[in-house]
Amino acid sequence: MRPARVPTAKLQGYGVRWDPGARCYRVRNELTGEWLRDSAGALAGFGSFSAADSAWHVFEPHRRVA
């Protein structure tokens, strides 16, 4: 089965992006270009920015500044 493609031109933001078609936030690892998917392999969608942002911080590791 072919993975679902997300029209990136319509998604705005860095890492956490609003998908106007699905009316939810999507999470992307900007280092690898990979989209966060659920356990079934479908694109993960989040109803709130804070939930998507938390998932993004786990999905795309960031260096911690001490």
Side-chain angles (χ1 to χ4, degrees), residues 15-44:
V16 175
R17 299 179 180 203
W18 176 251
D19 184 348
R23 299 187 50 80
C24 66
Y25 291 96
R26 305 284 188 193
V27 175
R28 182 171 187 247
N29 183 325
E30 298 295 334
L31 300 175
T32 64
E34 179 183 7
W35 289 93
L36 181 62
R37 297 186 178 276
D38 62 18
S39 59
L43 288 172

Side-chain angles (χ1 to χ4, degrees), residues 1-64:
M1 183 163 90
R2 206 170 173 187
R5 295 189 56 107
V6 176
T8 55
K10 292 184 179 181
L11 300 182
Q12 300 175 4
Y14 179 88
V16 175
R17 299 179 180 203
W18 176 251
D19 184 348
R23 299 187 50 80
C24 66
Y25 291 96
R26 305 284 188 193
V27 175
R28 182 171 187 247
N29 183 325
E30 298 295 334
L31 300 175
T32 64
E34 179 183 7
W35 289 93
L36 181 62
R37 297 186 178 276
D38 62 18
S39 59
L43 288 172
F46 298 88
S48 72
F49 178 84
S50 62
D53 187 55
S54 295
W56 176 59
H57 282 283
V58 173
F59 189 55
E60 182 179 316
H62 296 80
R63 257 194 276 166
R64 293 182 183 240

